[in-house]
Amino acid sequence: MPIIEVNGLRKVYGGRAVVDGITFAVEEGEIFGVLGPNGAGKTTTVECVEGLRVPDAGEVRVAGLDPIRDHDRVTRFLGVQLQQSELQAKLTVREALEVYSAFYSRPADWRSLAERLGLTDRLDARFGKLSGGQRQRLSIALALIGNPKVVVLDELTTGLDPRARRESWKLIEEVRDSGVTVLLVTHFMEEAQRLCDRVAVINAGRIVALDSPAGLIDRSASAAVVSFIPSEPLGDDELAALPAVKSVERGDDDTLVISGTDETVSALMSMLAQRRITARRLRVTEGTLDDAFLDLTEQEN
């Protein structure tokens, strides 16, 4: 049984459905990403999973339990890092860990968590004096202190510099490797591509795609792009006949830009070799999750 199940979830504010029939399941032990532009309904969706909001329709189950009706039981094994959260500025890291530890009957050893997350030398530092990266590390520690089976991380790396963001990615991978299921909400495509086993793309309150990052990229119009200047003319019809071609464009300097898949690139290279055509300024670019995301959300708008 999936550790998280969401079926037909709907939430309405001011007569507008910000979440409109969302369905997905998260398997135990995976990092499941929720992607989407600002205002797409990502945070509202996970807040229903966390039991912080009551759905207007549909069903949510975490380990078979209703996050609203069984809220006390769910909070025993669900850790949460909220999109926007602040501790009192004068509270030290040590005090925060001790306070949160007291909320659980069988908490994790907060000293071990602090060491694991690189906070040992900051235990006596006040929250207001922590850097953005240190605050995020503390947020992860507080989300893990109850020994959760599932942890929800909402926009964990927003506002972090590139180095701090990559350090946070390593921490998320370590969390998953320890056996914790991760529900990761993000709008950073590189983050989702690096971390997630599967991704649900939400746009305007609906899931427009659900697949692995590689699967989403393969469905993109730009899964692979090859550009070059041929030493001899090539016709649009013969290029369009190549396997899995999505588009063929010509630049002012005779550059050809062909979008497709790896199969397209292989077939093109074979054709050029057979006809002894030289490809000058040859460049092959793999598609990214960013390309796939733009394709998917543009199709829906």
Side-chain angles (χ1 to χ4, degrees), residues 204-268:
R206 298 183 179 184
I207 290 181
V208 297
L210 199 165
D211 205 337
S212 66
L216 293 176
I217 292 169
D218 286 343
R219 293 160 55 181
S220 166
S222 307
V225 178
V226 56
S227 63
F228 65 101
I229 299 176
S231 59
E232 296 180 16
L234 292 169
D236 287 350
D237 290 342
E238 61 183 330
L239 293 173
L242 292 170
V245 167
K246 302 291 179 64
S247 66
V248 177
E249 300 178 4
R250 293 181 180 272
D252 294 336
D253 59 352
D254 296 326
T255 298
L256 282 170
V257 180
I258 302 171
S259 298
T261 66
D262 290 342
E263 184 182 6
T264 309
V265 176
S266 296
L268 174 64

Side-chain angles (χ1 to χ4, degrees), residues 30-45:
E30 74 175 332
I31 299 179
F32 187 92
V34 179
L35 274 177
N38 291 333
K42 306 186 301 296
T43 293
T44 298
T45 298

Side-chain angles (χ1 to χ4, degrees), residues 4-299:
I4 298 174
E5 295 178 281
V6 177
N7 294 300
L9 180 64
R10 182 177 171 84
K11 186 66 181 177
V12 178
Y13 294 117
R16 183 176 72 89
V18 296
V19 174
D20 192 8
I22 282 180
T23 296
F24 64 87
V26 180
E27 299 299 327
E28 191 169 359
E30 74 175 332
I31 299 179
F32 187 92
V34 179
L35 274 177
N38 291 333
K42 306 186 301 296
T43 293
T44 298
T45 298
V46 297
E47 285 178 345
C48 290
V49 171
E50 297 160 355
L52 298 178
R53 295 191 185 275
V54 180
D56 293 318
E59 183 178 71
V60 178
R61 292 291 182 269
V62 181
L65 301 173
D66 185 318
I68 300 299
R69 187 176 61 247
D70 306 309
H71 187 72
D72 288 344
R73 294 174 65 188
V74 169
T75 55
R76 294 173 192 169
F77 59 81
L78 179 67
V80 176
Q81 177 264 329
L82 298 174
Q83 184 181 44
Q84 294 182 342
S85 60
E86 291 282 330
L87 298 176
Q88 290 181 333
K90 293 185 178 181
L91 194 70
T92 67
V93 171
R94 185 193 307 275
E95 290 167 341
L97 291 168
E98 288 177 340
V99 168
Y100 273 67
S101 181
F103 296 157
Y104 300 94
S105 59
R106 296 181 179 178
D109 181 354
W110 63 262
R111 295 171 185 81
S112 296
L113 272 178
E115 182 177 359
R116 177 179 167 194
L117 294 169
L119 292 170
T120 301
D121 63 346
R122 304 297 292 163
L123 287 177
D124 295 320
R126 300 188 186 279
F127 181 79
K129 298 295 184 180
L130 299 179
S131 68
Q134 291 165 348
R135 291 187 182 195
Q136 296 296 54
R137 288 172 179 269
L138 179 57
S139 294
I140 295 175
L142 297 179
L144 295 176
I145 208 162
N147 278 317
K149 294 180 180 178
V150 181
V151 63
V152 181
L153 305 175
D154 192 352
E155 304 287 7
L156 176 69
T157 61
T158 297
L160 297 186
D161 62 52
R163 182 180 299 277
R165 182 174 296 127
R166 290 181 181 275
E167 289 175 353
S168 295
W169 293 352
K170 291 179 182 179
L171 293 175
I172 294 170
E173 289 171 329
E174 290 174 7
V175 168
R176 188 268 306 278
D177 292 343
S178 71
V180 178
T181 302
V182 179
L183 182 58
L184 176 68
V185 182
T186 182
H187 62 260
F188 289 116
M189 301 302 116
E190 184 184 3
E191 181 167 285
Q193 188 169 346
R194 156 80 180 264
L195 296 175
C196 297
D197 299 297
R198 291 187 300 139
V199 173
V201 180
I202 298 179
N203 193 32
R206 298 183 179 184
I207 290 181
V208 297
L210 199 165
D211 205 337
S212 66
L216 293 176
I217 292 169
D218 286 343
R219 293 160 55 181
S220 166
S222 307
V225 178
V226 56
S227 63
F228 65 101
I229 299 176
S231 59
E232 296 180 16
L234 292 169
D236 287 350
D237 290 342
E238 61 183 330
L239 293 173
L242 292 170
V245 167
K246 302 291 179 64
S247 66
V248 177
E249 300 178 4
R250 293 181 180 272
D252 294 336
D253 59 352
D254 296 326
T255 298
L256 282 170
V257 180
I258 302 171
S259 298
T261 66
D262 290 342
E263 184 182 6
T264 309
V265 176
S266 296
L268 174 64
M269 294 299 105
S270 295
M271 184 179 74
L272 295 177
Q274 289 171 3
R275 293 175 54 175
R276 297 184 178 180
I277 296 175
T278 302
R280 294 184 291 113
R281 299 182 188 174
L282 176 65
R283 182 178 181 183
V284 180
T285 306
E286 293 186 358
T288 65
L289 192 56
D290 193 75
D291 297 323
F293 176 81
L294 291 174
D295 287 343
L296 289 165
T297 52
E298 285 174 0
Q299 290 169 11

